[in-house]
DNA sequence: TATTGTTATACTCTATAACTATA
DNA sequence: TATAGTTATAGAGTATAACAATA
């Protein structure tokens, strides 16, 4: 895989840019992705819940119960940080911490019904907001977005 | 022909879904947008800088100098929060705080060359990462993403 | 001895309330 | 009196270091 040197910014030294069209594509997609993500993130079930807290609940909803260490690893924070977040969510009644069956050093962290409800309601609001927006588009535009979503997932996973 | 991968809600209660295709489109786009945004956000010039700090520098780079209040308003945080972030960025040499010309209660906050360099380098890295990913795609896939970016911006602005 | 989780401590980022300076 | 910014204080979220329990 070859590396491309990009010079799109305002500190351009004057050297001509070899691939102007591709650069424009990347910048446009980057900005559009950030703006749409920001709008979607604003749609929440519990307004006082931070993104980090919600991400933990969402991970448990999608991937099932975790040990503390695996949860910290998945969210890319340290174990003490995750321990603190988990404690707050436990106090709020959104998840439970139970001793692991086999290895008693570990704990099993799982969603409660209340925690699952928060995830479901947040997902519902975000999708409802987006759905309403999609309804204002043409069929071709919607097909373009659906196809783009597949490609974006592929790109994000590389 | 593109197949949309269904990612139904695992807590579906059995209630019939009135618009399964549209919801699938929305869910797919929502998840793809969040994942790509997360990957892009990880590409930074200064690794220790928080998203909030970088957002301030980016706002100054895009929209020019601000008073403290306008900057807080734009980033949707309180004036004391923004004041603290601005103080840290000022200490780090990324922006300057100067008295306002007309109204001496106000301060004018502007990027330094170092601050602009951080913004430029971060943008460069994100676009370079994305550009490399785009190179692995077909021309049609790239066209789809370029068209989708336009639509996503339109959707985000509604 | 190594691993898993937790506690101790510290710094950033957020907020609300109170204060200073200026209009 | 109202506005712009700042300071005081507190809670959330992050980290590293040290500790306890278990394998």
């Amino acid at each position: 895989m070859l590396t491309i040197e990009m010079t799109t910014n305002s500190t351009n030294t004057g050297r001509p840019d070899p691939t102007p069209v591709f650069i424009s594509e990347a910048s446009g997609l980057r900005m559009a992705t950030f703006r749409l993500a920001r709008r979607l993130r604003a749609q929440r079930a519990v307004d006082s819940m931070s993104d980090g807290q919600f991400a933990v609940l969402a991970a448990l909803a999608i991937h099932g119960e975790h040990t503390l260490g695996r949860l910290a690893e998945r969210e890319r924070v340290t174990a003490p940080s995750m321990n603190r977040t988990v404690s707050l969510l436990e106090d709020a009644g959104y998840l439970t911490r139970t001793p692991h069956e086999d290895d008693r050093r570990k704990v099993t962290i799982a969603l409660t019904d209340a925690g699952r409800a928060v995830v479901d309601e947040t997902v519902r609001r975000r999708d409802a907001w987006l759905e309403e927006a999609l309804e204002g588009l043409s069929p071709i535009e919607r097909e373009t977005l659906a196809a783009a979503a597949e490609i974006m997932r592929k790109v994000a996973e590389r």
Side-chain angles (χ1 to χ4, degrees), chain A:
Chain A
M1 187 61 62
L2 54 147
T3 326
I4 302 291
E5 186 158 354
M6 313 301 302
T7 56
T8 60
N9 55 51
S10 61
T11 57
N12 193 310
T13 53
R15 177 161 43 94
D17 191 320
T19 54
V21 173
F22 291 171
I23 288 172
S24 179
E25 279 179 17
S27 294
L29 182 57
R30 166 179 50 79
M31 291 188 289
T33 300
F34 281 146
R35 287 181 195 182
L36 185 54
R38 182 169 186 156
R39 282 303 298 268
L40 284 170
R41 220 179 299 119
Q43 309 289 324
R44 308 177 176 185
V46 181
D47 218 45
S48 64
M49 184 174 290
S50 71
D51 288 341
Q53 284 186 10
F54 178 75
V56 169
L57 299 186
L60 293 172
I62 295 168
H63 302 287
E65 56 189 31
H66 285 61
T67 63
L68 181 75
R70 298 250 311 117
L71 204 48
E73 194 180 340
R74 182 181 291 284
E75 296 303 312
R76 296 167 203 256
V77 297
T78 60
S81 292
M82 182 54 70
N83 188 58
R84 185 163 188 155
T85 297
V86 164
S87 293
L88 288 170
L89 291 169
E90 186 184 23
D91 292 346
Y94 294 136
L95 54 78
T96 56
R97 227 194 291 231
T98 55
H100 197 275
E101 298 173 6
D102 306 330
D103 185 341
R104 290 171 40 149
R105 292 172 302 182
K106 298 182 179 176
V107 293
T108 299
I109 296 160
L111 274 188
T112 61
D113 288 346
R116 190 170 293 279
V118 168
V119 174
D120 287 349
E121 178 61 14
T122 298
V123 165
R124 195 194 63 74
R125 288 192 191 189
R126 287 174 176 170
D127 285 356
W129 180 88
L130 193 48
E131 174 54 30
E132 200 175 312
L134 296 185
E135 278 177 9
L137 302 177
S138 72
I140 288 178
E141 285 177 316
R142 286 209 297 271
E143 279 173 36
T144 299
L145 287 182
E150 289 281 318
I151 304 166
M152 287 163 67
R153 289 177 71 149
K154 187 167 71 175
V155 165
E157 274 159 19
R158 74 192 284 274

